[in-house]
């Protein structure tokens, strides 16, 4: 297995409920290492750029409104098989379908307000990390 990096975002529904630490605990307990992190709030332009792949989806405008509604905590996670490992710890997009013990099963409010984002491939991870962080702010 390879050491990978992936982008995680703690979403506004989770920061609003003061769940940042509990989510980081789940990630770290699964063996993922936080090697960059910040708290920020996206503009509409930033959210639209990040979710450009979902532009044609019916939920796109709502998703952009949600992701700009409050603070988010983007993170770079590093570890063995980090992309898949993070998706495993996150659980399914719809919390009703997420496995017990996953972040979304425990914390997500619904399919949109689902507490975390995680890159879905190594290629997308690299692009998403570059959108969110400068190289010198990633310290492995
Ligand atoms: P993410 O990309 O945030 O890690 P994901 O890969 O599990 O989540 P995607 O299909 O990429 O899910 O959708 C991106 C985000 O858009 C979801 O996390 C969720 O916030 C929102 N979303 C997805 N499907 C729906 C839907 N049917 N209705 C409302 N919002 C949705
Ligand atoms: Mg996705």
């Amino acid at each position: 297995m390879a050491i990978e990096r992936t982008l995680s975002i703690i979403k506004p529904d989770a920061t609003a409920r003061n769940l940042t630490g509990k989510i980081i605990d789940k990630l770290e307990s699964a063996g993922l290492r936080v090697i960059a992190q910040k708290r920020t709030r996206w503009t509409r332009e930033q959210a639209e750029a990040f979710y450009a792949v979902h532009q044609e989806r019916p939920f796109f405008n709502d998703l952009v409104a949600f992701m700009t509604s409050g603070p988010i905590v983007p993170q770079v996670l590093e570890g063995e098989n980090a992309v898949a490992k993070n998706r495993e710890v996150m659980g399914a997009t719809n919390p009703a379908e997420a496995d017990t013990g996953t972040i979304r099963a425990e914390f997500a409010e619904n399919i949109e307000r689902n507490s975390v984002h995680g890159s879905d491939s190594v290629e997308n991870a690299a692009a998403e990390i570059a959108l969110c962080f400068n190289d010198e702010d990633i310290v492995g």
Side-chain angles (χ1 to χ4, degrees), residues 11 51 54 59 63 87 90 93 104 111-112 114 117-118:
K11 295 183 176 181
Y51 281 116
H54 294 313
F59 59 78
L63 178 60
R87 305 252 332 157
M90 289 162 60
T93 309
R104 283 166 166 170
I111 193 170
E112 178 183 83
N114 60 5
H117 163 85

Side-chain angles (χ1 to χ4, degrees), residues 9-61:
I9 302 176
I10 301 176
K11 295 183 176 181
D13 68 287
T15 60
R17 288 175 291 144
N18 212 20
L19 293 170
T20 304
K22 288 203 170 84
I23 289 173
I24 294 169
D25 182 37
K26 291 253 188 212
L27 300 170
E28 290 184 339
S29 297
L32 293 162
R33 189 171 288 272
V34 179
I35 61 167
Q37 177 170 278
K38 65 181 169 189
R39 184 175 167 103
T40 187
R41 185 166 176 167
W42 273 346
T43 62
R44 205 180 78 182
E45 290 68 29
Q46 284 174 298
E48 284 175 352
F50 187 86
Y51 281 116
V53 291
H54 294 313
Q55 221 161 337
E56 304 305 326
R57 305 263 207 120
F59 59 78
F60 179 72
N61 286 335

